[in-house]
Amino acid sequence: MKISILLNNILKKWSDEYHDGTRFGLKGKILHEEKSDFQKITICETDRYGKALLLNDCWMTAEYQEKQYHECLVHPALSSAEEIERILIIGGGDGGSARECLKYKEVKKVDLIEIDQKVIELSKIFLPKIGLGAWNDKRLNVEIENGINWVRNTKDNCYDVVIIDGSDPEGPAEGLFNKEFFRDCRRILKNNGVFAAQSESPESFHEIHIQTIKILREIFDYADPLYGNVPIYPSGWWSWTFAAVEKPRYKQPKLNRVQRITEECHIWSPSWQEGAFKAIPAFLNRELNQ
Ligand code: SPD
C-alpha cells in the first residue's frame, strides 16, 4: 500500500452522533475542532458527504446532503407567503437557509440571527459551498445575538416569513422549542406570512416532534408537518413544520414565483411538497389529532 493512502487511512476516523442507544456515523478526517463560548464545533471532511459540521457531536450539515434539509425548510414558506420582502432566520449559521431564501428576487432583506459567531466564521472558511453567494449578498443582514431575545424585542407584524433553523433542543437551541418563543414568532409574523421550523425526527425525537406541532397548532390557526430524509441525522427521517393564520397557505405555492427555483432544486418542487404534506403516516396523524 502507498504511504499516502496508509497515512490517509490513519488520519481518518469515525465521527458518531450518539442518540438513545443508536449512533449515526461518518468516516473522515477532522479538519478543525474548537470550543466556542457556546459549544464544541467540529469540522470534518467525510468520505461520503464532503465537508461536514458537528455541534456538540451532533451532525448539523454536510456539503453533499444539505439540500435535503435546506430546500425543505425554506421553499414551502418562501413559495407561499403572500409577500416575501422581509425574512427572518433564527440560527442557520452555515448559510444554507439564507442561500435558498436569496434565490427569490422578491426578497429585499434577510435578517440572520446566529448566537455563535464561530459557527459563521468556520462555515465561511470550511463550508463555502453551503453559504455560496449569500454571504456577499447585500440583502443579507447578519446579527450575532440570541434569537430568543431578537424575536422578543421585534415589533409586531414585521416579517413575511420566519424560519427557525436551530439545532436540537439542548444547549443554545433549547429555548427555540417553547411556547413563549413561538408566541413571539407569531406576533412578529405578518398575518399573510408563513412560519417554518425544523421540527426534529418523528422517530428519534418523537416526543419533542409531536409537542412542537401541537404547540404551534395552539398558537397559529394552522400548522402541518412535512417529512423527508436527511441521512446524517438520527434515524435519517426528518421533519419541518409550517404554520400560518387564516389559512394553511404553505400548502399553496405560487407557481409563477417558483418556476426557476423549482428547476434548480434537488428535492423540493411544488408536486413533491404536495405529496409530502399528504403522506403523513397514519400513526402520526392519529397522535397529532388526539
Ligand atoms: N439533529 C440536527 C438538527 C439540526 C437542524 N439544523 C441544522 C442546521 C442546518 N442549517
Side-chain angles (χ1 to χ4, degrees):
M1 196 186 270
K2 272 192 181 164
I3 298 276
S4 59
I5 299 176
L6 197 67
L7 201 66
N8 228 359
N9 281 342
I10 294 169
L11 290 175
K12 281 179 186 171
K13 65 175 206 72
W14 285 92
S15 294
D16 293 313
E17 174 174 347
Y18 288 83
H19 184 79
D20 250 357
T22 58
R23 68 176 185 200
F24 300 87
L26 290 175
K27 198 173 181 190
K29 213 184 326 177
I30 305 290
L31 300 178
H32 183 86
E33 191 151 80
E34 70 174 77
K35 262 207 158 241
S36 72
D37 291 343
F38 299 94
Q39 54 210 337
K40 176 178 165 193
I41 307 177
T42 310
I43 308 276
C44 93
E45 168 105 58
T46 71
D47 289 352
R48 184 73 176 86
Y49 296 122
K51 295 201 189 91
L53 167 73
L54 296 102
L55 297 179
N56 287 339
D57 297 314
C58 296
W59 294 105
M60 288 297 126
T61 195
E63 279 177 330
Y64 302 126
Q65 204 187 74
E66 50 87 21
K67 291 188 170 135
Q68 257 111 318
Y69 174 90
H70 292 119
E71 288 181 6
C72 301
L73 173 63
V74 168
H75 295 303
L78 271 280
S79 66
S80 64
E82 192 54 36
E83 288 171 340
I84 50 170
E85 290 190 355
R86 280 207 70 179
I87 315 294
L88 173 66
I89 300 173
I90 301 292
D94 53 62
S97 291
R99 178 201 71 214
E100 290 302 312
C101 290
L102 291 163
K103 283 182 175 169
Y104 293 79
K105 62 175 182 353
E106 297 89 340
V107 169
K108 291 203 168 137
K109 188 173 182 207
V110 175
D111 289 327
L112 188 152
I113 317 303
E114 168 61 57
I115 195 168
D116 194 341
Q117 179 156 21
K118 279 282 166 198
V119 172
I120 296 186
E121 278 174 24
L122 294 171
S123 298
K124 285 183 181 172
I125 296 171
F126 291 101
L127 307 166
K129 284 188 186 150
I130 295 184
L132 277 179
W135 299 122
N136 298 321
D137 193 312
K138 290 200 166 53
R139 297 172 294 165
L140 181 68
N141 168 48
V142 176
E143 302 279 348
I144 305 301
E145 206 192 306
N146 183 327
I148 297 167
N149 294 342
W150 182 273
V151 297
R152 192 180 294 140
N153 298 326
T154 296
K155 285 191 297 195
D156 297 5
N157 305 315
C158 216
Y159 290 103
D160 296 302
V161 172
V162 172
I163 295 173
I164 314 302
D165 182 13
S167 41
D168 304 310
E170 277 169 21
E174 201 173 341
L176 302 183
F177 288 81
N178 73 37
K179 226 182 218 175
E180 207 188 331
F181 173 69
F182 290 145
R183 273 209 193 97
D184 273 326
C185 290
R186 159 72 190 93
R187 183 181 55 73
I188 66 175
L189 184 73
K190 291 185 190 162
N191 275 344
N192 53 12
V194 173
F195 170 87
Q198 78 87 359
S199 47
E200 301 288 318
S201 163
E203 218 288 305
S204 301
F205 294 86
H206 185 78
E207 228 162 274
I208 185 83
H209 169 67
I210 298 288
Q211 268 313 103
T212 301
I213 300 164
K214 285 191 170 174
I215 294 174
L216 288 171
R217 282 184 177 173
E218 279 175 33
I219 292 170
F220 291 82
D221 297 339
Y222 298 90
D224 288 288
L226 192 65
Y227 297 102
N229 302 301
V230 186
I232 58 170
Y233 292 168
S235 86
W237 188 18
W238 213 252
S239 78
W240 304 268
T241 297
F242 301 87
V245 291
E246 293 168 359
K247 60 178 181 177
R249 59 180 70 246
Y250 45 81
K251 289 189 174 170
Q252 287 150 6
K254 296 182 185 296
L255 297 180
N256 51 345
R257 187 187 283 168
V258 296
Q259 204 176 346
R260 176 185 53 83
I261 282 152
T262 306
E263 282 159 20
E264 287 173 12
C265 275
H266 186 64
I267 301 286
W268 183 84
S269 72
S271 59
W272 174 82
Q273 165 181 319
E274 189 184 346
F277 269 127
K278 286 184 181 150
I280 174 162
F283 78 99
L284 289 170
N285 207 21
R286 273 195 293 270
E287 235 177 299
L288 288 170
N289 291 325
Q290 262 167 23

